Amino acid sequence: MTNAETRAGAVELEGTFFDDPDALYRTLRREAPVVRVNTPMGLQAWVVTRYQDARPALNDPRLSKDGAKFGEILERRSVAPERRMQFADSLAGHMLNTDPPDHTRLRKLVNRAFTVRAIARMRPRIEEIAHGLADRMAAKAAREGTVDLLDEFAYPLPMTVICELLGVPEGERDDFRGWTTTLLSAAPPEERGAAVAAMAEFLARLVADKGANPGEDMLSAIVRASEDGDTLSAREATSMAFLLLVAGHETTVNLIGNGTLALLRHPDQLALLRADPSLVPNAVEEFLRFDGPINLATFRYTTEPVEIGGTTVPEGEVVLISLVSANRDAERYGDPARLDVTRDAGGHVAFGYGVHHCLGAPLARLEGEIAFRTLLERFPALALAGDPETIGWRRSTLIHGLTRLPVHL
């Protein structure tokens, strides 16, 4: 198969795949839209690549996300314990690892904090954070000539927002980036295990403190949340804090980073946004479609034989759905490899679809809009520093994002 080396009849997800996943996905969409793959963690799974198959698969109840049963599947396949990427028990019981009705219960308990109206009230504070970071970035560029936009802007903006939302003390935020980067990468199992343990200890302590000394922050509200007499257990609250902290910044970091890189590689589109900043909200949707922050959605497994795209996936098989590939499907979007900030990108699956649609999508959209408005307003001469072809991408099947983005201001 062109662009795809195989082992034991399965496509390998390795090497240049991380730098340009759609090079492989173009072939798969055409020749093998539902295909077995070997993942870097040593697990064989099925990957779904076409939009018409991916969108319904994301909401198919026969594709379960029950974390405990998924662990049993890995054990039956003799996947080594250190390679199972099973989070500590205190981090595993979140919404992404549950099916209805458990998922429905957990989501209901935190839903009110993430309504569009609640998020809209955060606009002034997010704008304040963004302009403060722009000031700091400009000062550093004046001293050093170039800055890493990821380090100075794309990462600290959503991290500051989500930590303020959840009431994470400022002095306790420094280690979090290292933990999450390790956890979501192809780092050695022992490094991931150490990151999980450190994060679990930190979050358990934080949740206990919110229970004993509640504040006005969202995590305090989650700890004491109740719906029809139901409350979260300490383990569930810790797991929810993990999900909200990681998902609450990773998606937006890579939306900002990938979107900025796309604009700098397409100066005609950058010029359109500079001429008409009212296009920014629509451009955010196009960035999500064009080079979204999530490559392969988190694991699902079949509870019975399931036909997807003309291929029957047997019971008990792991299924990965490529959001990046679905959003580049020419059957859904005309000329999909072209960035077009005026395009109607509606229906993209960058935030998933169905019951597991990203709870924080309104926050990510607002942060993305403010980030790009700030960059356009403050840095009219923004440009890549160095060869754009040397930009590095993270070695992760889950996260599609850059390792650095050096720019001139």
Side-chain angles (χ1 to χ4, degrees), residues 94-163:
H94 54 69
M95 295 180 294
L96 277 181
N97 285 344
T98 57
D99 297 323
D102 289 339
H103 172 271
T104 308
R105 168 183 165 268
L106 292 171
R107 185 156 180 145
K108 184 184 292 186
L109 285 166
V110 298
N111 232 359
R112 284 194 296 265
F114 282 92
T115 64
V116 173
R117 180 177 297 177
I119 296 303
R121 290 197 294 267
M122 299 172 59
R123 179 181 287 273
R125 176 56 183 148
I126 298 174
E127 290 175 339
E128 181 183 13
I129 294 168
H131 282 282
L133 291 171
D135 290 341
R136 192 175 74 180
M137 189 162 60
K140 184 169 185 177
R143 294 192 308 269
E144 302 180 13
T146 65
V147 293
D148 185 339
L149 190 133
L150 285 187
D151 280 347
E152 302 299 327
F153 190 80
Y155 175 77
L157 173 59
M159 176 54 84
T160 302
V161 171
I162 197 65
C163 283

Side-chain angles (χ1 to χ4, degrees), residues 202-212 219 223 233-234 237-239 241:
F202 164 72
L203 291 175
R205 179 165 35 88
L206 184 64
V207 166
D209 180 66
K210 297 300 179 185
L219 186 54
V223 170
S233 68
T238 300
S239 182

